[in-house]
Amino acid sequence: MNDILEKLAKCVEFGKINKVSPYPPDMKDQEGADELAKRALEEGIRPDQILENALVPAMEKVGNKFTRNEIYVPQMLMAAKAMNSAMAHLKPFFLSGETKRKGKFIIGTVSGDLHDIGKNLVAMMVEGGGWEVIDLGVDVGADKFLKAMDENPDAVVGMSALLTTTMENMKKIVTAIKEKHSDSKILVGGAPVTHEYCKKIGADFYSPDPQGAVNYLRQLAS
Ligand code: B1M
């Protein structure tokens, strides 16, 4: 792999945002994801190559380490921040349509539920996996999901619920979406959600963690 991309992947994996960021201590004063992504573009490396060969594999490593409990939420957030600082340089190319993403992913925490830390982690990992993410935020009801689907017809939908009480709302939203878009793909997650519950409410896939969500989307896109 190209030297800059290798360094960039390492910065994302270990959460090195930019040169002045003190974290992680053993990378102090080194260039971070911000400077390296900018330099990679200046040296003529294509945005999709930067995404595919540095950011995506790095975030995949992060996701797998998190799934295996080798790292925890703070390290994952730092990695996602580093990824976002690199993505800021790439986004103009993706937004202009000059460079293609793998697809669109609509995500929200279901109505009545204000927990967003897990949902944000999933959103960041999916973005790091090369998808355009439309984040509807928290307390999102069926109408808002359906509106976003009308605006983005081929998007895959993701929902998060953290309360046993709001799992019931997840069921209502899935039912409303499937009634209108029977061929849509819906991915569900959140601490109280299970594979059995996913099947029971007619959603398509359950993932206990962000990497499982990324893997499912990759499988859909291939
Ligand atoms: Co609340 N809360 N909370 N809370 N809160 C829990 C969830 C609770 C388990 C605490 C407890 O009682 N032990 C409990 C729920 C009990 C239940 O229903 N069984 C609870 C409660 C009761 C409440 C309130 C009702 C408290 C009150 O006001 N009486 C209230 C409800 C507000 C509301 O939503 N309407 C409330 C409020 C809050 C805060 C606002 C204070 C805050 C949320 C801040 C925020 O999110 N911005 C909060 C917090 C922080 C928690 C705990 C402590 C942590 C949740 C969290 O962020 N976990 C939580 C207890 C706990 O879990 N220890 C608790 C870390 C996060 C990374 O994990 O969200 O599970 P998680 O996401 C994981 C996976 O689930 C998965 O990936 C993530 C990474 O692995 N995942 C997906 C998540 N979404 C996914 C989607 C996918 C795929 C995977 O595909 C689409």
Side-chain angles (χ1 to χ4, degrees):
M1 202 207 294
N2 174 296
D3 185 47
I4 300 186
L5 294 189
E6 215 166 289
K7 284 189 184 149
L8 176 56
K10 195 166 171 233
C11 285
V12 171
E13 183 181 350
F14 296 100
K16 176 75 177 167
I17 299 169
N18 53 29
K19 197 166 181 185
V20 294
S21 88
Y23 180 86
D26 62 338
M27 291 171 89
K28 193 167 179 276
D29 295 332
Q30 290 178 24
E31 282 183 309
D34 180 16
E35 293 87 3
L36 288 164
K38 187 166 176 278
R39 205 146 62 78
L41 286 170
E42 282 164 1
E43 293 194 10
I45 305 176
R46 289 201 324 263
D48 59 316
Q49 288 174 323
I50 299 174
L51 186 68
E52 284 302 316
N53 299 331
L55 306 187
V56 172
M59 286 309 277
E60 189 171 350
K61 277 190 187 170
V62 172
N64 288 333
K65 283 198 259 184
F66 184 78
T67 303
R68 295 193 298 262
N69 292 325
E70 290 169 14
I71 60 167
Y72 300 98
V73 170
Q75 287 109 311
M76 198 157 166
L77 286 174
M78 290 310 287
K81 277 194 175 175
M83 196 257 320
N84 282 339
S85 70
M87 277 302 286
H89 297 287
L90 309 189
K91 263 191 183 148
F93 296 91
F94 292 115
L95 294 179
S96 71
E98 198 181 309
T99 307
K100 282 243 168 301
R101 302 257 191 125
K102 288 183 184 153
K104 291 186 183 183
F105 181 61
I106 298 168
I107 188 167
T109 301
V110 301
S111 38
D113 202 321
L114 303 176
H115 296 84
D116 67 356
I117 299 169
K119 184 265 297 167
N120 292 345
L121 283 176
V122 174
M124 289 186 285
M125 290 297 295
V126 169
E127 186 172 27
W131 290 69
E132 180 183 339
V133 174
I134 298 143
D135 188 344
L136 303 179
V138 295
D139 192 17
V140 184
D143 288 352
K144 205 166 169 189
F145 274 106
L146 286 169
K147 184 169 179 282
M149 290 180 77
D150 287 342
E151 287 162 3
N152 304 280
D154 298 324
V156 179
V157 178
M159 280 171 218
S160 181
L162 261 287
L163 299 170
T164 41
T165 47
T166 57
M167 283 168 73
E168 192 53 36
N169 297 338
M170 182 178 261
K171 181 180 171 197
K172 287 182 192 151
I173 299 168
V174 170
T175 306
I177 292 177
K178 288 289 180 184
E179 264 173 18
K180 198 170 170 204
H181 304 274
S182 55
D183 54 350
S184 58
K185 293 286 178 210
I186 306 177
L187 160 67
V188 292
V193 181
T194 60
H195 177 64
E196 287 67 37
Y197 190 70
C198 163
K199 275 174 70 179
K200 187 176 153 197
I201 65 174
D204 298 282
F205 192 77
Y206 159 72
S207 171
D209 53 46
Q211 192 55 42
V214 175
N215 295 345
Y216 172 66
L217 291 175
R218 185 188 301 133
Q219 182 201 315
L220 281 183
S222 64

